[in-house]
């Protein structure tokens, strides 16, 4: 049995759903009104990748610091992968995704000098009537800014959570 451990960062504007995403992914259920149950340092998610391979993800959430855009360098250190999250009902959070990606690339790189693989996730896709960010906008943005994958998700409905994480794991394994 072989096990790989990866540090994965979750970044994005305040209230896009990062903490809820981590909790739901780790606990496999929707956790409303979350306080600080997850998020001291990181939460651990084990993924059975194949018969012989288990992946352990250390998911680093930024609890509150995102408001000030002053994330400590230690947070980025040793990261193997990243999720930049925005809220599909909040255009500002989508615009911020560019800055978050730039911050990631300026603060950390892989040991081989490559960029840290990063997934772009548009959350709250259940709020159909309030959605302001379109598929084509995200498509263009993700290609221009070097994301390895992008998709929409609804943590609330439990949709689109595991697929993008699998894409990230694939990429992290290739970079190992
Ligand atoms: P964070 O600041 O990025 O960590 O965001 P939180 O995880 O604290 O979530 C902010 C708010 O968005 C909370 O009230 C969540 O319940 C809500 N939320 C998170 N994911 C979803 C989702 O997929 N759909 C909807 N409608 N609300 C969500
Ligand atoms: Mg949070």
């Amino acid at each position: 049995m072989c096990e790989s451990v990866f540090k994965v960062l979750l970044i994005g504007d305040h209230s896009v759903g990062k903490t809820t995403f981590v909790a739901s992914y780790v606990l496999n259920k929707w956790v409303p009104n979350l306080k600080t149950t997850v998020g001291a340092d990181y939460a651990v998610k084990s993924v059975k990748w194949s018969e012989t391979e288990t992946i352990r993800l250390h998911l680093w959430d930024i609890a509150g610091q995102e408001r000030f855009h002053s994330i400590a360098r230690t947070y980025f250190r040793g990261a193997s992968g990243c999720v930049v999250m925005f809220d599909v009902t909040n255009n500002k959070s989508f615009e911020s995704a560019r800055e978050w990606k730039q911050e990631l690339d300026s603060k950390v790189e892989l040991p081989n000098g490559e960029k840290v693989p990063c997934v772009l996730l548009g959350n709250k896709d259940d709020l159909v009537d309030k959605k302001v960010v379109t598929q084509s906008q995200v498509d263009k943005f993700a290609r221009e800014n070097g994301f390895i994958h992008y998709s929409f998700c609804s943590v609330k409905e439990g949709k689109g959570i595991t697929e993008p994480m699998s894409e990230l794991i694939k990429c992290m394994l290739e970079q190992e």
Side-chain angles (χ1 to χ4, degrees), residues 13 86-87 90-98 120 133-134 137-139 141-142:
D13 277 4
F86 67 93
D87 172 349
N90 178 340
N91 213 20
K92 165 82 177 51
S93 74
F94 177 56
E95 283 164 13
S96 294
R98 176 176 283 111
L120 178 67
V133 183
T134 67
Q137 265 178 301
V138 182
D139 186 81
F141 173 76

Side-chain angles (χ1 to χ4, degrees), residues 15-20 30 66 123-124 126-127 154-156:
S15 89
V16 297
K18 300 179 298 299
T19 303
T20 321
W30 163 247
E66 70 270 43
N123 187 33
K124 310 197 186 179
D126 53 287
L127 301 174
S154 166
V155 180
K156 188 171 187 177

Side-chain angles (χ1 to χ4, degrees), residues 104-144:
L104 172 76
D105 291 338
S106 71
K107 291 214 168 136
V108 65
E109 59 183 22
L110 296 177
N112 63 11
E114 299 268 344
K115 285 184 176 164
V116 169
C118 188
V119 164
L120 178 67
L121 267 187
N123 187 33
K124 310 197 186 179
D125 210 29
D126 53 287
L127 301 174
V128 185
D129 297 342
K130 294 188 182 157
K131 188 165 172 173
V132 292
V133 183
T134 67
Q135 173 89 33
S136 60
Q137 265 178 301
V138 182
D139 186 81
K140 182 164 181 283
F141 173 76
R143 270 185 285 116
E144 287 174 359

Side-chain angles (χ1 to χ4, degrees), residues 37-174:
T37 27
V38 189
D41 278 328
Y42 56 82
V44 180
K45 169 78 176 178
S46 283
V47 180
K48 192 166 175 2
W49 192 248
S50 69
E51 282 309 313
T52 55
E53 201 166 15
T54 300
I55 312 291
R56 277 174 81 81
L57 302 178
H58 289 185
L59 300 159
W60 288 62
D61 185 18
I62 36 168
Q65 302 164 58
E66 70 270 43
R67 284 179 197 264
F68 312 107
H69 253 277
S70 61
I71 315 300
R73 228 168 235 280
T74 47
Y75 175 81
F76 291 94
R77 193 173 297 144
S80 301
C82 180
V83 175
V84 171
M85 185 175 277
F86 67 93
D87 172 349
V88 299
T89 71
N90 178 340
N91 213 20
K92 165 82 177 51
S93 74
F94 177 56
E95 283 164 13
S96 294
R98 176 176 283 111
E99 289 159 37
W100 284 112
K101 178 68 164 63
Q102 283 167 358
E103 177 152 10
L104 172 76
D105 291 338
S106 71
K107 291 214 168 136
V108 65
E109 59 183 22
L110 296 177
N112 63 11
E114 299 268 344
K115 285 184 176 164
V116 169
C118 188
V119 164
L120 178 67
L121 267 187
N123 187 33
K124 310 197 186 179
D125 210 29
D126 53 287
L127 301 174
V128 185
D129 297 342
K130 294 188 182 157
K131 188 165 172 173
V132 292
V133 183
T134 67
Q135 173 89 33
S136 60
Q137 265 178 301
V138 182
D139 186 81
K140 182 164 181 283
F141 173 76
R143 270 185 285 116
E144 287 174 359
N145 289 275
F147 288 91
I148 59 138
H149 171 91
Y150 78 87
S151 47
F152 294 102
C153 69
S154 166
V155 180
K156 188 171 187 177
E157 293 182 337
K159 286 182 185 156
I161 296 174
T162 53
E163 300 83 352
M165 295 310 284
S166 296
E167 291 299 323
L168 187 59
I169 290 169
K170 254 188 248 169
C171 208
M172 293 191 298
L173 285 169
E174 282 166 15

